Amino acid sequence: MSDSSDYMTYQTSNKLGFDVDVLSEILDKVELTSSYYYRTSFTGDWGIKLPQEDNVAFFHIVTHGEFWFEVPKLKIKGLAEQGDILILFNGMEHTMTSAPKVKTELALDFRSKANLTSSQVLEYGDQSKLKSNVVCGHFCFNRWPDHPFLNSMPDIIHIKNMENSHSPWLATLLNIIEHEAKSSQPGSTTLIKKLTEIIFVQALRIQMRKSTKKESFFKLIENPQISKTLAAIHHNLDQKWSLEDLSEIAGMSRTNYSVKFKELSGMTPLDYLTSCRLDKAKQLLTETSQSVPEVSEAIGYPAHEHFQKLFKKKVGQTPSAYRKENSKKVQ
């Protein structure tokens, strides 16, 4: 067992209950932001087709009424009702209609026929009749680490209102969004953006609970023993972790730990460790001025030559080439 001060620090914080929140760590790396387009106020027959848009996740939050949706690529059709949250990853093309089989128009063409009010409400049809009110926008991920959690996300998340019943505060949040979307108060757009980011995290939590996949990173986070080792890895990537170290933290035998980890995620513990280290290396290479040897040591590879060979094997190019191609401006 390693006796480094970093590892001892982890052990102490772990006993005191300060485990790293793995989901929060991942979301911090993703650098999630949201953009709010408008709130719909549609009546009568209407249909919109939203084209493919890369590197975003569309969201639709139904605050009143309902709408039908279809995702051609996934061959999925469904009804989104009041209180439902719909998130489509990979910017997937989809349609929104007042009823099944209603003709759709491209979003730009439809918007030209509708009226966008000063408070960002897109109105269509007789506003004295029952309306469908939906808060629409997208989530943008400024970074998309090659992390198994993100890679295991479904193409679509549809959280039904009934699934939110255990979270009274979520219903309150949806009411606040509806109120702010109707208002033209200063700062309402910014407030809606922040609130939708909170809803995104809650949608992920609900999705984790309802996931039926046999192999899913969700299962690792939910497992009380293995989640401790995920926290340890994220807390100290530069630690010289061994399978014995990790299995001891989990309170399991080395064999049982390895078998359970792979059963739940489809990957080995050390494969996961490597994945996290290389993602951190990518971040350091593109966002800092640290040398390649410094980056190598920062993620737990004191043998720089080994790191460079591993990086090229997994990423497809050398650390220096990756930095040159993807580097951001470093102050």
Side-chain angles (χ1 to χ4, degrees):
M1 198 66 163
S2 172
D3 61 354
S4 72
S5 59
D6 281 344
Y7 179 67
M8 294 305 292
T9 299
Y10 165 74
Q11 283 190 311
T12 302
S13 64
N14 188 46
K15 289 176 181 177
L16 292 174
F18 296 121
D19 286 4
V20 174
D21 180 345
V22 178
L23 181 56
S24 292
E25 288 258 321
I26 296 166
L27 291 175
D28 284 344
K29 289 182 181 179
V30 169
E31 297 176 12
L32 170 73
T33 57
S34 70
S35 289
Y36 160 57
Y37 301 151
Y38 46 73
R39 179 179 69 94
T40 71
S41 184
F42 298 161
T43 64
D45 292 335
W46 56 270
I48 302 178
K49 179 179 180 180
L50 290 97
Q52 175 78 30
E53 189 171 342
D54 296 332
N55 301 318
V56 302
F58 290 114
F59 70 79
H60 304 295
I61 301 170
V62 188
T63 55
H64 186 268
E66 62 185 36
F67 72 88
W68 292 82
F69 66 89
E70 181 175 359
V71 187
K73 185 177 180 180
L74 303 178
K75 297 181 180 179
I76 289 178
K77 298 179 181 180
L79 175 66
E81 302 173 282
Q82 183 171 331
D84 285 10
I85 301 166
L86 189 66
I87 302 173
L88 295 101
F89 287 89
N90 303 313
M92 283 199 172
E93 173 188 314
H94 62 288
T95 63
M96 303 169 62
T97 59
S98 55
K101 298 183 179 179
V102 170
K103 184 180 178 181
T104 62
E105 296 180 87
L106 285 172
L108 285 176
D109 295 333
F110 182 88
R111 288 171 198 165
S112 68
K113 298 178 181 179
N115 173 50
L116 185 62
T117 70
S118 59
S119 57
Q120 291 296 105
V121 178
L122 191 66
E123 297 178 341
Y124 181 86
D126 185 349
Q127 294 299 297
S128 66
K129 296 181 179 179
L130 290 176
K131 310 174 185 71
S132 293
N133 298 143
V134 185
V135 173
C136 302
H138 75 238
F139 298 111
C140 182
F141 309 97
N142 296 330
R143 289 188 68 245
W144 189 269
D146 186 20
H147 192 282
F149 172 80
L150 299 170
N151 294 337
S152 68
M153 291 301 298
D155 291 313
I156 181 171
I157 290 179
H158 183 190
I159 306 298
K160 301 288 289 182
N161 182 45
M162 65 185 71
E163 295 170 324
N164 301 333
S165 58
H166 64 284
S167 302
W169 63 267
L170 185 55
T172 301
L173 209 58
L174 293 174
N175 288 334
I176 294 173
I177 287 177
E178 169 72 352
H179 172 75
E180 289 296 326
K182 286 180 179 178
S183 77
S184 56
Q185 295 184 64
S188 61
T189 298
T190 298
L191 184 58
I192 291 172
K193 284 182 180 181
K194 297 302 180 184
L195 293 178
T196 54
E197 289 169 23
I198 295 172
I199 286 177
F200 177 79
V201 176
Q202 179 62 6
L204 291 186
R205 286 174 169 176
I206 296 173
Q207 183 63 31
M208 286 170 64
R209 286 195 293 268
K210 64 187 282 193
S211 175
T212 57
K213 285 185 179 180
K214 185 179 179 181
E215 291 183 2
S216 168
F217 189 74
F218 293 146
K219 303 299 183 185
L220 289 184
I221 294 180
E222 290 179 323
N223 185 286
Q225 292 171 287
I226 292 179
S227 63
K228 292 179 182 178
T229 68
L230 300 183
I233 288 171
H234 281 264
H235 186 70
N236 281 312
L237 274 178
D238 61 340
Q239 176 69 34
K240 190 177 180 180
W241 294 112
S242 68
L243 201 52
E244 288 80 3
D245 293 336
L246 297 173
S247 60
E248 185 167 326
I249 290 170
M252 303 167 71
S253 72
R254 172 176 165 169
T255 300
N256 287 343
Y257 172 68
S258 297
V259 170
K260 190 65 176 178
F261 196 107
K262 188 158 189 179
E263 176 188 311
L264 293 177
S265 68
M267 65 192 309
T268 70
L270 297 184
D271 282 343
Y272 176 74
L273 173 61
T274 299
S275 173
C276 291
R277 282 175 166 169
L278 291 182
D279 180 64
K280 182 64 176 180
K282 291 177 185 177
Q283 183 183 7
L284 294 176
L285 287 167
T286 57
E287 298 180 10
T288 77
S289 58
Q290 290 183 28
S291 67
V292 171
E294 286 173 335
V295 169
S296 178
E297 291 188 21
I299 63 169
Y301 294 118
H304 311 152
E305 297 80 5
H306 170 68
F307 163 66
Q308 296 197 57
K309 287 179 181 178
L310 179 66
F311 192 93
K312 186 172 183 179
K313 179 181 177 181
K314 297 290 186 180
V315 180
Q317 55 188 163
T318 65
S320 297
Y322 182 86
R323 163 173 274 166
K324 186 175 181 180
E325 187 176 311
N326 300 279
S327 187
K328 298 179 182 179
K329 266 191 175 179
V330 179
Q331 300 295 329

